[in-house]
Amino acid sequence: MEQQKTVFITGATGGIGKATAITLAKQQYYVIIHGRNKEKTVAACEEIKSISGNENIDYITGDLLLMSDVKKVAETLINKYNRLDVLINNAGGIMDKDRKETAEGIETTMAVNLLAPFLLTNLLLDVLKKSDDGRIINVSSNSHQLNAKPDFDDLELKNNYNPLTAYGNAKLFLIWNSQHLAKKLIQDGYGNVTVNTLHPGAVATNFGVNSNLGSLLNFFGKLARPFFKTPEQGAETVLYLATSEKVKLISGKYFENKKIKTASQKYYSQKNEQLVWDYCKNRINNIK
Ligand SMILES: NC(=O)c1ccc[n+]([C@@H]2O[C@H](COP(=O)([O-])OP(=O)(O)OC[C@H]3O[C@@H](n4cnc5c(N)ncnc54)[C@H](OP(=O)(O)O)[C@@H]3O)[C@@H](O)[C@H]2O)c1
């Protein structure tokens, strides 16, 4: 009999993450969800158990703005399970109108959307390498095409901060880091672990709902909302990458609607990809 697969999903208290968790629970995966708020995470865990009838649902809490919490989340998972087949870096979102730094001094958009998945993936990589079908799925966004405008001398936008640019940049860098890791895994002989990214579509979730992006953006956001995908529809490409045999050997690609798409090449060069990877490595190493 095939061994039950374990999946860890960040930001699974609502939206796309929770919809993904429910479907995987119904498919008898061992589902570990993550949330930053304990009450909300426990409630989501119970809801997933009750909807799916699957009792093998657990949770880990932590604020992914803080790399110290990311380390604790990874440690908890390794100490308790020491196995993982699928890692879904889903938590993320757009931040406020005004630039903010975390207690560790990192710009908040970059912290949660880029550095947290970078560090979590790195810390869980040895466990994933033990799987015969390890999959890392990074939830990006087409905002990398629409809004990214990186300044390679000022990656955290100390000057000219704009929340949409910061978000687009972080999601673009997430794609580059995924490509970079995919190449490294092949070079190091770990073809059993793949890493891919995706845009889930415009999905009616809590995304941006509590941000103070400005009345005009919020107005258009509300107008467009009825045309958005449901969280279940938004989860479809995530689920495809997590479960389909068709993508078992595909790595380093960007997907939309369950199909490979070419990510924006506007700012891409191998040098820039390496620069962002090195920035993430150095930023993480320099946090006490
Ligand atoms: N919705 C869209 O149209 C859309 C489009 C493109 C890409 N995406 C991406 O899809 C992913 C899922 O978003 P969603 O639409 O499902 O939005 P959502 O409903 O806001 O869900 C985001 C999840 O991430 C968690 N999260 C946010 N900041 C966190 C932090 N600092 N520490 C820990 N957890 C944190 C949230 O926790 P709380 O419940 O505690 O807030 C929530 O569980 C995100 O990466 C987003 O950028 C969404």
Side-chain angles (χ1 to χ4, degrees):
M1 207 179 99
E2 210 187 309
Q3 213 202 351
Q4 186 179 36
K5 291 217 159 102
T6 302
V7 57
F8 182 49
I9 311 168
T10 66
T13 50
I16 297 164
K18 189 166 85 179
T20 303
I22 291 171
T23 302
L24 292 176
K26 285 182 184 165
Q27 293 178 12
Q28 298 311 313
Y29 275 69
Y30 198 114
V31 180
I32 308 161
I33 63 162
H34 152 272
R36 63 178 146 178
N37 172 301
K38 178 145 186 215
E39 233 173 84
K40 218 170 151 180
T41 314
V42 171
C45 195
E46 290 311 312
E47 189 188 336
I48 296 163
K49 276 185 195 166
S50 132
I51 292 175
S52 65
N54 181 345
E55 282 300 308
N56 289 328
I57 317 292
D58 198 359
Y59 68 89
I60 301 175
T61 55
D63 183 355
L64 302 185
L65 281 169
L66 295 173
M67 299 310 119
S68 53
D69 266 29
V70 175
K71 284 182 194 159
K72 281 186 209 148
V73 166
E75 270 163 28
T76 308
L77 193 140
I78 292 166
N79 290 338
K80 198 162 174 191
Y81 293 100
N82 203 22
R83 55 177 275 236
L84 187 63
D85 299 288
V86 186
L87 167 64
I88 304 177
N89 285 307
N90 164 74
I94 200 152
M95 298 292 138
D96 290 347
K97 203 164 68 188
D98 301 313
R99 185 182 184 281
K100 288 201 183 99
E101 289 187 357
T102 67
E104 293 168 336
I106 303 171
E107 191 281 312
T108 51
T109 323
M110 289 288 265
V112 71
N113 291 287
L114 183 71
L115 289 162
F118 178 85
L119 180 58
L120 190 63
T121 301
N122 256 295
L123 295 172
L124 295 177
L125 210 48
D126 280 343
V127 198
L128 281 158
K129 283 174 182 169
K130 290 194 272 182
S131 169
D132 57 9
D133 182 11
R135 301 184 188 206
I136 302 160
I137 297 148
N138 290 325
V139 181
S140 180
S141 168
N142 70 346
S143 181
H144 87 274
Q145 268 158 334
L146 305 174
N147 307 113
K149 201 173 176 225
D151 175 347
F152 293 101
D153 295 319
D154 179 19
L155 288 178
E156 294 183 31
L157 302 181
K158 283 201 167 113
N159 308 301
N160 301 322
Y161 171 84
N162 169 298
L164 275 170
T165 309
Y167 179 70
N169 288 352
K171 293 299 193 186
L172 175 69
F173 300 156
L174 184 64
I175 295 172
W176 290 358
N177 273 352
S178 307
Q179 291 170 188
H180 197 86
L181 179 60
K183 286 179 262 185
K184 264 175 82 66
L185 284 164
I186 296 286
Q187 275 161 15
D188 296 347
Y190 292 103
N192 56 317
V193 183
T194 61
V195 47
N196 290 296
T197 55
L198 72 128
H199 168 56
V203 190
T205 61
N206 276 335
F207 179 84
V209 166
N210 298 318
S211 75
N212 64 353
L213 283 181
S215 48
L216 201 63
L217 262 178
N218 283 338
F219 175 72
F220 284 113
K222 276 182 194 138
L223 267 189
R225 222 174 145 77
F227 304 101
F228 283 8
K229 288 184 179 180
T230 62
E232 290 71 27
Q233 291 166 335
E236 281 175 11
T237 303
V238 183
L239 288 162
Y240 177 69
L241 290 174
T243 62
S244 174
E245 279 297 311
K246 289 185 189 152
V247 288
K248 190 174 169 175
L249 300 173
I250 294 177
S251 194
K253 301 292 183 206
Y254 171 73
F255 286 75
E256 276 187 38
N257 292 321
K258 301 193 218 166
K259 294 209 166 59
I260 295 177
K261 252 197 100 172
T262 307
S264 169
Q265 297 298 303
K266 193 168 176 190
Y267 299 101
Y268 182 76
S269 69
Q270 263 188 33
K271 185 173 155 249
N272 288 343
E273 180 187 295
Q274 186 68 49
L275 183 144
V276 168
W277 181 268
D278 292 342
Y279 150 79
C280 291
K281 244 170 87 175
N282 293 333
R283 205 66 174 101
I284 297 296
N285 286 340
N286 289 324
I287 292 165
K288 280 140 232 137

